[in-house]
Amino acid sequence: MLNWYFNSTLPGVSWPAVSTPQNVTELALLFQMEQTQWLPADTLARHQFEQLHPLLAHAYGTVPFYRDRLAAAGFSPNRPLTPAVFSRLPPLTRSDVRQQGKALQSRSPLASHGPLIEYRTAGSTGQPLTVAGNPLTAMIRSVLTLRDHLWHRRDLGGRLAVIRDMASAAAPGGLLAENWGDATADLCRTGRSGILHAGTAVARQIDWLRRFDPAYLLTDPGTLSALARFALDERIALPGLKEIRTSGAVVTPELRAICREAWGVPLTDRYSAGETGDLALQCPDHEHLHVQSEAVLLEVIDAAGNPCAPGETGRVVLTPLHNFAMPLIRYEIGDHAEVGAPCPCGRGLPVLKRIGRAEHSFPTVA
Amino acid sequence: MSAAPSRLSADQLAPAGSPPASPGSVAVDWRVQSGLPGVVWPAVPPVPQAVQLALLFQLEQSQWWPVETIVARQFEQAHRLLVHAQATVPFYRERLAAAGFSPARPLTPEVFARIPLLHRAELQQRGRALASSAPPAEHGPLTEIRTSGSTGQPVTALGNQLTAAFWNVLTVRDHLWHRRDAEGTLAVIRNTDNAPPPDGQAADNWGRATDGLIRTGRSVALHIGTDIARQMDWLRRIEPAYLLSYPSNLKALAEYALERGIGLPGLREIRSISEVLGSEVRDLCKRAWGAPVTDAYSANELGYMALQCPRHEHLHVQSEAVLLEVLDAAGNPCRPGEIGRVVVTVLHNFAMPLIRYEIGDYAEVGEPCACGRGLPVLKRIAGRVRNLVTLPDGSRHWPSFRGDTWAHIAPLRQLQLVQHDRQTIEARLVCDRRLTESEEAAFSKSLAECFGHRFRVAFTYLDRIERSAGGKYEDFVSRVA
């Protein structure tokens, strides 16, 4: 039962909530996505192409780097975009993005999408990349976080513990906040959150967790593995813990099993990238991931550039659908993934398993 | 040892209180209008439309809450309403204080139950005295709501943009619950102005609830006064996916269609409003066109009060918008199976607060629904006070009679029964020829079975029985006070 308390800003109205333009827009998107997640895969693809057209037309008109590529592939702003034309576009590589830099940004950004926001992302090779977004792309990131909370039926009133690389969140206390962060702070009431630096020694991490007593723990698989083993060895329970959330590296069945053994809780993974935000979220009912098709067109292609079939592993190529600040069109992020069969849950959102970074070929952390 | 369970239904597979696990039928593929350049899917609508979808999102969650959670939230909102009413509507100031209401304390069901009921007659007489002296500007400009009411005596209430927004949101919820294909054509036959035969009046959208929000097919309206043959011709030309009308009119159309074998291919669903819907009309529509009938319970001054369950023929109270009570004669809440007076508090009307407003209808409370929704169930709307027959001993009940009761006795085109006093029922008939004496006798006997008492029956033969000022038609009306 999802008993979320949405903040209401309309005088006299507390329930249902009527809130700020930003908040109502996020909920309007979530409303649509509650429907679209169940559409058949081919209907979703058709809608994605409807959205791709204005994105490509904008890139064609305002990003010189893309103009020739798009024209060569047969794209015209005056004709509907076909999958054949789209698949003729050469993938955009990481070195393209690094070399082109700001040249990939639109010369004529849409004012209505809000002012430019630049992000520096570490990238898997360790070399930083600068990408750009805007308040629209930031809102879509928030909406995907909300969907993750919705799918996994989170009690937003609980405490959220985050262990990540952040030197300023040093032990013993870490950094505490009154809410769960940007995606939810203004929208609804949440419990408190705490961040602890992942560089802290495992024993002190456990101490911090026992004191903080979270309902949810968010961290990367490497940190989690060390924590879970320690807790098993030392028989340290975390009684209030309901769920562990991970991102950043491959999650193995062994890691899931250790968390269950140590604390009796499930693990919820996701596939996320600094350049784009969430790309795939774990199915509410299964341990594999669903591509967030309302936000990104994610292809998995083989060496020849053809789409992989279920069971096959290939290169991940991304096109965020709403980034008009710095369009990323068929961006080959450097990851590999295995395509899954359509999910028994009935959602039309495509299934991914075993995401890995190219350089490491599925690092196992167990 | 129990037998192995037979195949579980989708409802049974889902954990209690969650949406059904039959995804194939769950999604609607509506085209939401986007207001942001470059963005078509998903849509980023303009703020007023985003507010509607934000409300709908919350309603998609709250419908599954346990009833206790729903009630708790209702009382939080009702508290806000009562604070406003006490401060800005002199009519309510004393009433609320006398009931023990204090803005400084949470509102309890006990305090709420002590607030005196507001009768329809009071609303008619007091009118503007119930208007707030300080309606919040943020709720939008005031609008006047006139309702002719079935008695023909108008009631004037006030609404605003916020109350209109709730009306629109619940209209769209109804579309969602019944998984309507928004691209279809909607035919509307009701008391619409400027919609004369032969063609009625067309619009490129389904009305204000969807206009500017989602792309829909066209809607076409025809005035309810149009004779049935021309209505039928019109429907055949329109080829609607959806037909909205009153049960009495649906009955006449379905009977006409059945007599002549007229189908309406493409008709997916019939929507019923304004009059009590009985099983007879549902059966007739199914036989005539294979289309299910979906009911809705609303009033101009109150908005939607209940919508038909997606999976059953009974109604769910729209608790996110109204706090609806069904009370027995002593003023206590009725239990499932009991029939009582409908009393409504509109949770977001700060223009003219309606608090414990006795609308004049009676309804039967239903058991919690097997669909899993926490929204309370009204098994049926029984009718209004004036639809109660009064027996000589003073007892009253709602008579129900199916039109096919008389079919074997006499060929009737229209029938309306009016109780004038405790001894007499007037049977107003429209038929091709007067009934013979023995037919009249058989009719009276049949009537006695329906009413549980042998009244004296006075027969009046008419060319036509007109609808009331509001376009409604009632099978039975009592003039006994």
Side-chain angles (χ1 to χ4, degrees):
Chain A
M1 182 207 78
L2 232 45
N3 191 358
W4 291 359
Y5 267 86
F6 290 106
N7 294 327
S8 190
T9 55
L10 191 62
V13 176
S14 66
W15 181 75
V18 178
S19 190
T20 62
Q22 165 98 4
N23 288 340
V24 298
T25 303
E26 288 182 3
L27 294 187
L29 285 164
L30 262 177
F31 170 79
Q32 295 172 74
M33 289 163 61
E34 282 284 272
Q35 300 300 315
T36 54
Q37 64 183 321
W38 300 109
L39 293 174
D42 53 2
T43 307
L44 282 168
R46 180 164 47 81
H47 287 317
Q48 288 183 311
F49 272 77
E50 286 162 12
Q51 176 54 39
L52 269 178
H53 185 272
L55 178 73
L56 265 52
H58 178 77
Y60 181 91
T62 69
V63 187
F65 172 83
Y66 282 119
R67 190 187 191 93
D68 293 336
R69 300 186 150 212
L70 286 166
F75 174 76
S76 158
N78 305 315
R79 285 197 305 272
L81 172 66
T82 64
V85 165
F86 188 73
S87 60
R88 281 204 286 272
L89 285 166
L92 179 75
T93 64
R94 294 185 74 84
S95 57
D96 285 335
V97 174
R98 199 168 293 113
Q99 280 162 29
Q100 294 296 326
K102 288 182 201 278
L104 281 176
Q105 292 178 12
S106 168
R107 303 281 161 96
S108 255
L110 296 177
S112 55
H113 291 207
L116 198 75
I117 304 170
E118 286 187 333
Y119 302 90
R120 279 177 76 75
T121 141
S124 58
T125 59
Q127 285 183 289
L129 281 179
T130 300
V131 294
N134 51 34
L136 174 65
T137 62
M139 175 160 60
I140 290 171
R141 289 187 190 224
S142 291
V143 169
L144 293 177
T145 300
L146 288 167
R147 181 188 239 177
D148 194 56
H149 293 328
L150 202 56
W151 274 10
H152 300 286
R153 304 191 160 279
R154 290 191 188 117
D155 173 10
L156 299 187
R159 279 184 294 281
L160 169 66
V162 180
I163 301 181
R164 53 178 283 214
D165 220 11
M166 191 177 204
S168 56
L175 268 181
L176 301 180
E178 286 308 306
N179 55 52
W180 281 23
D182 288 342
T184 45
D186 194 48
L187 181 69
C188 48
R189 283 193 228 164
T190 67
R192 292 174 13 233
S193 68
I195 306 178
L196 185 70
H197 181 38
T200 312
V202 174
R204 297 188 81 188
Q205 290 185 24
I206 286 281
D207 281 341
W208 181 80
L209 284 171
R210 289 169 82 179
R211 284 196 314 274
F212 188 67
D213 189 27
Y216 303 100
L217 167 60
L218 171 61
T219 189
D220 65 276
T223 304
L224 181 60
S225 177
L227 271 170
R229 283 172 195 288
F230 187 91
L232 259 179
D233 289 343
E234 306 293 316
R235 298 186 200 283
I236 299 173
L238 291 173
L241 193 64
K242 297 185 190 189
E243 180 195 351
I244 295 173
R245 303 166 53 198
T246 57
S247 75
V250 173
V251 163
T252 61
E254 291 76 23
L255 181 56
R256 290 183 187 271
I258 288 170
C259 291
R260 273 206 193 275
E261 224 193 306
W263 299 307
V265 295
L267 187 156
T268 305
D269 194 20
R270 63 182 168 158
Y271 173 35
S272 205
E275 298 94 314
T276 60
D278 289 333
L279 299 162
L281 301 175
Q282 183 168 313
C283 180
D285 306 323
H286 302 86
E287 285 176 359
H288 53 233
L289 308 181
H290 281 289
V291 172
Q292 298 301 293
S293 300
E294 298 92 341
V296 61
L297 197 160
L298 188 151
E299 308 167 75
V300 181
I301 57 174
D302 63 19
N306 300 317
C308 289
E312 295 177 349
T313 297
R315 301 171 287 154
V316 174
V317 171
L318 311 167
T319 308
L321 296 173
H322 308 94
N323 189 341
F324 285 58
M326 178 172 152
L328 295 173
I329 301 173
R330 298 200 87 209
Y331 173 46
E332 189 172 341
I333 190 170
D335 300 332
H336 283 64
E338 178 188 330
V339 175
C343 185
C345 77
R347 287 172 175 81
L349 301 171
V351 173
L352 294 180
K353 306 181 178 220
R354 295 173 59 73
I355 321 288
R357 294 283 171 176
E359 302 82 68
H360 299 113
S361 303
F362 309 110
T364 52
V365 184
Chain B
M1 188 161 84
S2 59
S6 55
R7 203 172 146 71
L8 293 170
S9 71
D11 280 334
Q12 289 170 301
L13 286 167
S18 70
S22 58
S25 63
V26 165
V28 290
D29 189 17
W30 291 345
R31 170 75 79 213
V32 176
Q33 314 278 49
S34 193
L36 199 61
V39 176
V40 298
W41 186 82
V44 175
V47 172
Q49 284 73 25
V51 168
Q52 281 186 256
L53 295 187
L55 287 168
L56 268 168
F57 173 79
Q58 294 173 72
L59 265 51
E60 281 284 273
Q61 303 300 319
S62 57
Q63 64 184 327
W64 301 109
W65 292 346
V67 63
E68 299 78 18
T69 305
I70 293 173
V71 170
R73 298 291 193 108
Q74 284 186 311
F75 274 82
E76 282 170 24
Q77 177 57 39
H79 182 269
R80 305 256 184 144
L81 177 74
L82 266 52
V83 166
H84 174 77
Q86 189 170 55
T88 68
V89 186
F91 175 85
Y92 284 116
R93 184 175 304 132
E94 286 314 311
R95 290 164 83 100
L96 294 176
F101 175 70
S102 157
R105 288 194 301 273
L107 174 65
T108 65
E110 292 72 33
V111 166
F112 190 75
R114 283 202 288 269
I115 300 168
L117 304 185
L118 171 67
H119 302 292
R120 191 184 176 84
E122 279 179 288
L123 182 58
Q124 266 161 356
Q125 287 153 23
R126 300 298 213 108
R128 286 279 168 156
L130 269 66
S132 168
S133 61
E138 298 90 340
H139 290 203
L142 297 180
T143 52
E144 221 177 57
I145 303 168
R146 296 204 101 234
T147 159
S148 65
S150 314
T151 58
Q153 285 179 293
V155 160
T156 300
L158 293 177
N160 50 31
Q161 237 168 21
L162 184 62
T163 60
F166 272 92
W167 180 282
N168 294 340
V169 165
L170 294 179
T171 304
V172 179
R173 181 189 231 177
D174 192 55
H175 295 327
L176 196 56
W177 273 13
H178 301 285
R179 302 279 170 236
R180 293 193 182 117
D181 173 6
E183 307 285 340
T185 297
L186 168 65
V188 178
I189 306 176
R190 61 185 303 185
N191 57 335
T192 313
D193 294 328
N194 304 320
D199 298 320
Q201 182 192 89
D204 62 9
N205 197 282
W206 280 12
R208 63 176 186 163
T210 46
D211 195 15
L213 178 70
I214 63 179
R215 192 179 70 190
T216 67
R218 63 191 193 121
S219 70
V220 201
L222 187 68
H223 192 269
I224 188 106
T226 310
D227 71 77
I228 292 298
R230 294 182 88 180
Q231 286 191 30
M232 201 69 235
D233 282 341
W234 179 81
L235 284 170
R236 292 171 81 181
R237 287 199 308 277
I238 299 296
E239 293 181 301
Y242 302 100
L243 166 60
L244 172 78
S245 193
Y246 306 152
S248 58
N249 195 58
L250 294 170
K251 176 171 187 285
L253 278 167
E255 284 171 341
Y256 183 90
L258 278 167
E259 272 170 39
R260 290 159 183 78
I262 302 175
L264 286 172
L267 185 65
R268 291 169 54 135
E269 180 197 346
I270 293 170
R271 299 168 56 196
S272 161
I273 53 165
S274 285
E275 297 166 355
V276 172
L277 173 68
S279 58
E280 183 190 10
V281 173
R282 289 187 191 273
D283 292 345
L284 280 167
C285 290
K286 211 168 198 101
R287 281 172 40 214
W289 304 302
V293 181
T294 303
D295 198 13
Y297 178 44
S298 67
N300 284 359
E301 68 271 38
L302 300 168
Y304 282 100
M305 291 171 281
L307 300 174
Q308 183 167 313
C309 180
R311 293 177 183 272
H312 303 88
E313 286 179 356
H314 54 233
L315 306 172
H316 281 288
V317 174
Q318 299 301 292
S319 302
E320 298 92 344
V322 295
L323 200 164
L324 186 148
E325 308 166 78
V326 181
L327 304 178
D328 64 20
N332 298 317
C334 289
R335 288 191 304 269
E338 294 178 347
I339 297 177
R341 300 167 290 162
V342 175
V343 173
V344 180
T345 301
V346 181
L347 293 171
H348 308 92
N349 188 340
F350 282 50
M352 178 182 275
L354 295 174
I355 299 171
R356 299 200 91 207
Y357 171 57
E358 188 177 353
I359 182 178
D361 292 332
Y362 282 67
E364 180 184 336
V365 176
E367 297 278 355
C369 188
C371 76
R373 286 172 174 82
L375 300 173
V377 173
L378 298 179
K379 188 135 168 65
R380 64 188 176 100
I381 309 301
R384 303 187 67 83
V385 174
R386 67 167 177 284
N387 303 128
L388 285 163
V389 63
T390 304
L391 300 189
D393 66 1
S395 66
R396 302 153 102 185
H397 66 272
W398 284 276
S400 67
F401 18 69
R402 293 174 61 109
D404 44 20
T405 307
W406 326 112
H408 68 282
I409 294 172
L412 304 175
R413 291 198 173 281
Q414 272 186 291
L415 166 65
Q416 191 174 62
L417 300 164
V418 180
Q419 179 178 24
H420 290 278
D421 56 52
R422 291 195 187 191
Q423 288 75 39
T424 315
I425 301 277
E426 179 193 5
R428 311 173 79 218
L429 308 177
V430 176
C431 36
D432 293 336
R433 57 157 180 82
R434 288 176 69 100
L435 270 50
T436 64
E437 253 189 59
S438 66
E439 283 171 341
E440 284 189 353
F443 187 94
S444 299
K445 183 162 183 286
S446 197
L447 214 58
E449 281 158 17
C450 283
F451 284 123
H453 173 74
R454 194 180 250 289
F455 289 95
R456 185 175 78 81
V457 181
F459 291 88
T460 307
Y461 292 91
L462 300 163
D463 292 329
R464 188 183 158 82
I465 299 174
E466 298 296 340
R467 295 178 170 277
S468 72
K472 299 191 191 195
Y473 183 93
E474 291 160 288
D475 293 327
F476 173 77
V477 177
S478 175
R479 305 255 165 83
V480 175

